[in-house]
Amino acid sequence: MDIFALEGQACPWSAIRDSREVCGDTSSDESFTQISEWLRNCAGHHTACKANTDRLPNRVIDVGTLGSPLVRLYETTNKIAPYACLSHCWGKTPINRTTSETYAQHLESISWDSLSRTFQDAITVVRRLGLQYLWIDSLCVVQDSEGDWQKESALMASIYGNAYLTIAATKSSSGSGGCFSTAAQEHRALKLNLIDDNTGVAHPIYVRRQIPHYDPNATRGRHYPLLTRAWCFQERLLSPRVLHFGSQELLWECLSDASRECTRVRGRSDIRTEALESISTNLERLMLGKVTHMRALSSSHSRPALAVRWRNIVEEYSGLDLTYGNDKFPAISGTANQMRIYRPKAKYLAGLWEDDLIQDLLWEPFQLEDHRPETWRAPSWSWASVNGQIRYTNSISHPTRRIIVEVLDARVIPVIASNDMGRAKSGYLVLSGPLVPATLHLRPQPYIYGRLTEYEISAASAATALNTESLGFKSDYTLVDWGEQMVYCLWMVIKNERTGFGMALKRVAVADKDRDGDCDVYERIGTVWTWREVDETWETRVGERKVVKII
């Protein structure tokens, strides 16, 4: 239960926090007064939230006005005007789309009845805020044109980054859910008058059932389904302002601040207040994510700080849901393009960056998936080659002390030559480092470490500094019917005086001098580590240096 006093109201009991009433209807005039207040405060005081330009995307929806409600697709030809974007779940319910067949008709008009409830509500919001243009992905990108989709998806950073406002249908898992909602009666505040025993004065106190907060583990999209979607992740990060329509209330986040109808989330993520105590840790971290992200980019142009920020992005993004697996790179391409502004000399390589490539290779699955994606979408060394969330081993508590592998070549061929952050066609790395043959076999008594592996690994030769008892292995995916097989440990970094870390590789082809030069070809299948003494001479004793090509 929430027990609170209204903000600004005298309350003699320190245990009772301040909060605000929720109006209960996100389509009401009261709600739009709150929206206008958030917009006015942000536009007037937050310099970080100002868009670089008001140039419209190539196409937008002209929403007309409340008095002249014609809706149509509009080709902008570089027109300057403020516009809104919609962030929404497509869901399984069919929604209106622009295709080659419907394109001409949509330029004339789009039938109101053909629009999903979410689209209708978003258009209503735009009209009530006095804007004329709205960008909706399914209507502003020609859905059956691969060329148009590739071109427009490469522009996501500017489309969302230059929007005056992004409207997020956060409560809805499909187009039929809409934006607007009415709060359940149990979440409406009940006023009580409590008497102060010391003074005899009655003070108004309010009680309500706690409004559901975002918890990705407990709810998994129950109250905030949009926030479980991968495409939404970059839409939120890139947009200067996001207005969330939740199931019980409105939520606001911009590059400088965050707020909910019931209480404000402070703009400084390093300070906790009484108001924050009522907000779940997950929601607080989520809503302050834009603030944290922008400060990480704007306050530090150092490569290590930017590299850490990118890995934090990947850790969060990789755990989100995609309807189509081959959207793995397009759905984060806008964020990657934004990062490139701060790392202009670094080559982007299938979700990794050349200027910190070895550190970016130190990923492992958070939870094991049954197999790699059925359709190839990334080289085996990329985190995008597996399904599910990943995490990096190079944390603050386990930093890399020394890199012992050398990058000789790195290349990724994109599907569209002009869009290296979109879908990939092929890719490889050529590395030189200590390579040790090893045997991978099923454990006699399977021990599943974090549900990640039932295998153990042992050095195949005594001529190595590796001790089988101190050798660990985690697979990137379930290794079906492997039995006992030869694999190869490519040692990459020394983390501290006790730990070495590397990749477990499977050889897939011997050297073809015309194609591969003098190096054999491998695929990554997992990660390996050793936790015994790793001294200064370990890298020379652990194994012979070899050149390998990893695809």
Side-chain angles (χ1 to χ4, degrees):
M1 298 292 289
D2 271 344
I3 302 175
F4 62 95
L6 294 180
E7 289 182 352
Q9 178 180 288
C11 178
W13 301 286
S14 59
I16 297 179
R17 62 182 181 82
D18 290 347
S19 189
R20 295 183 290 207
E21 287 191 88
V22 174
C23 81
D25 180 358
T26 58
S27 68
S28 67
D29 290 342
E30 186 177 350
S31 287
F32 274 82
T33 298
Q34 176 65 80
I35 294 169
S36 297
E37 179 184 330
W38 282 332
L39 281 168
R40 185 167 52 252
N41 179 64
C42 181
H45 299 95
H46 299 163
T47 56
C49 301
K50 296 184 184 299
N52 294 325
T53 178
D54 287 331
R55 189 179 303 280
L56 291 172
N58 293 326
R59 305 182 196 97
V60 291
I61 301 301
D62 184 338
V63 304
T65 64
L66 292 173
S68 179
L70 177 68
V71 177
R72 67 187 181 95
L73 184 65
Y74 176 56
E75 295 176 335
T76 62
T77 60
N78 296 322
K79 182 176 179 177
I80 302 295
Y83 65 96
C85 285
L86 175 64
S87 181
H88 66 109
C89 291
W90 286 39
K92 297 180 180 180
T93 305
I95 57 175
N96 198 334
R97 311 181 189 194
T98 295
T99 64
S100 302
E101 184 178 351
T102 62
Y103 189 85
Q105 176 58 52
H106 282 185
L107 288 174
E108 294 292 327
S109 67
I110 301 174
S111 167
W112 182 260
D113 291 338
S114 72
L115 296 171
S116 69
R117 180 183 167 193
T118 298
F119 290 1
Q120 292 176 352
D121 287 354
I123 289 171
T124 299
V125 172
V126 171
R127 288 172 176 171
R128 291 181 68 174
L129 293 178
L131 299 175
Q132 187 174 356
Y133 301 112
L134 173 64
W135 190 88
I136 302 176
D137 50 6
S138 71
L139 294 175
C140 296
V141 180
V142 182
Q143 296 298 310
D144 60 350
S145 170
E146 180 67 18
D148 192 67
W149 193 93
Q150 291 283 356
K151 182 181 73 172
E152 293 297 318
S153 66
L155 300 175
M156 290 298 167
S158 61
I159 290 173
Y160 282 92
N162 292 326
Y164 177 71
L165 175 68
T166 291
I167 299 163
T170 308
K171 76 177 188 71
S172 298
S173 59
S174 69
S176 62
C179 296
F180 302 134
S181 62
T182 302
Q185 189 62 40
E186 62 188 3
H187 298 302
R188 305 292 298 276
L190 175 66
K191 182 180 177 181
L192 304 173
N193 287 312
L194 298 186
I195 297 176
D196 183 353
D197 291 339
N198 295 322
T199 64
V201 176
H203 295 271
I205 299 299
Y206 295 82
V207 179
R208 67 181 170 218
R209 184 176 292 277
Q210 189 176 55
I211 293 174
H213 298 150
Y214 178 69
D215 185 341
N217 299 314
T219 62
R220 191 51 183 163
R222 177 183 171 193
H223 300 294
Y224 300 91
L226 182 65
L227 301 183
T228 68
R229 305 300 300 176
W231 278 101
C232 167
F233 178 75
Q234 72 170 1
E235 293 165 5
R236 287 185 51 247
L237 280 188
L238 296 171
S239 302
R241 309 176 184 96
V242 181
L243 173 64
H244 294 276
F245 283 85
S247 58
Q248 309 292 337
E249 63 174 339
L250 297 170
L251 301 93
W252 167 271
E253 56 177 343
C254 65
L255 299 178
S256 303
D257 206 354
S259 190
R260 307 167 62 210
E261 275 191 272
C262 66
T263 190
R264 179 168 178 259
V265 182
R266 305 297 176 185
R268 290 185 59 188
S269 59
D270 59 332
I271 292 180
R272 294 201 58 86
T273 66
E274 284 190 25
L276 284 182
E277 296 299 336
S278 68
I279 302 175
S280 74
T281 302
N282 285 305
L283 182 64
E284 178 191 341
R285 183 171 61 248
L286 174 83
M287 292 187 66
L288 290 174
K290 286 175 64 63
V291 177
T292 302
H293 175 67
M294 198 60 220
R295 288 181 177 174
L297 295 182
S298 61
S299 65
S300 177
H301 292 271
S302 68
R303 180 182 61 79
L306 292 171
V308 168
R309 178 57 195 151
W310 176 256
R311 289 191 283 272
N312 290 340
I313 287 171
V314 169
E315 286 184 329
E316 186 172 353
Y317 169 78
S318 60
L320 301 175
D321 299 330
L322 279 169
T323 301
Y324 304 104
N326 62 355
D327 285 349
K328 198 75 168 183
F329 290 135
I332 200 174
S333 62
T335 308
N337 269 304
Q338 183 188 53
M339 180 63 70
R340 173 172 278 168
I341 296 173
Y342 301 91
R343 302 167 80 173
K345 297 181 179 180
K347 186 190 298 183
Y348 182 76
L349 299 162
L352 292 73
W353 293 89
E354 186 181 40
D355 63 355
D356 208 32
L357 184 57
I358 301 304
Q359 303 293 342
D360 281 358
L361 287 167
L362 303 181
W363 59 267
E364 63 186 20
F366 191 77
Q367 287 187 325
L368 192 65
E369 297 289 333
D370 290 340
H371 51 75
R372 289 194 189 274
E374 293 182 4
T375 302
W376 187 96
R377 69 181 180 219
S380 64
W381 42 265
S382 168
W383 54 266
S385 67
V386 298
N387 296 317
Q389 188 168 19
I390 66 96
R391 61 186 175 190
Y392 288 91
T393 66
N394 45 336
S395 63
I396 294 175
S397 58
H398 296 89
T400 293
R401 189 177 73 185
R402 189 165 78 254
I403 293 174
I404 61 175
V405 70
E406 181 182 1
V407 180
L408 302 181
D409 193 11
R411 185 170 302 181
V412 173
I413 308 299
V415 171
I416 303 297
S418 60
N419 183 13
D420 64 338
M421 294 183 174
R423 291 171 181 156
K425 182 187 298 183
S426 63
Y428 65 84
L429 296 178
V430 179
L431 304 178
S432 172
L435 188 71
V436 181
T439 302
L440 185 66
H441 51 90
L442 206 61
R443 294 181 184 274
Q445 295 179 336
Y447 165 68
I448 305 178
Y449 179 80
R451 294 175 54 211
L452 284 170
T453 181
E454 293 179 342
Y455 286 80
E456 65 182 2
I457 194 169
S458 58
S461 170
T464 176
L466 291 177
N467 185 324
T468 296
E469 294 180 358
S470 64
L471 194 58
F473 167 77
K474 290 183 183 179
S475 60
D476 289 342
Y477 55 95
T478 301
L479 304 175
V480 181
D481 298 328
W482 262 60
E484 182 171 301
Q485 292 199 27
M486 178 73 74
V487 295
Y488 298 84
C489 303
L490 179 65
W491 296 101
M492 300 169 62
V493 301
I494 295 174
K495 287 186 168 292
N496 51 45
E497 68 278 2
R498 296 182 62 85
T499 308
F501 193 90
M503 291 189 289
L505 306 176
K506 176 182 70 173
R507 187 163 61 184
V508 295
V510 296
D512 182 329
K513 290 192 176 183
D514 294 333
R515 183 189 62 197
D516 308 312
D518 293 325
C519 52
D520 292 345
V521 181
Y522 299 81
E523 286 183 355
R524 170 177 160 151
I525 61 168
T527 53
V528 289
W529 69 95
T530 180
W531 60 84
R532 292 292 175 88
E533 295 295 332
V534 178
D535 58 24
E536 294 299 322
T537 64
W538 181 81
E539 66 177 283
T540 61
R541 297 184 294 109
V542 70
E544 182 182 358
R545 291 189 73 89
K546 296 277 190 178
V547 176
V548 299
K549 182 177 184 179
I550 310 172
I551 60 174

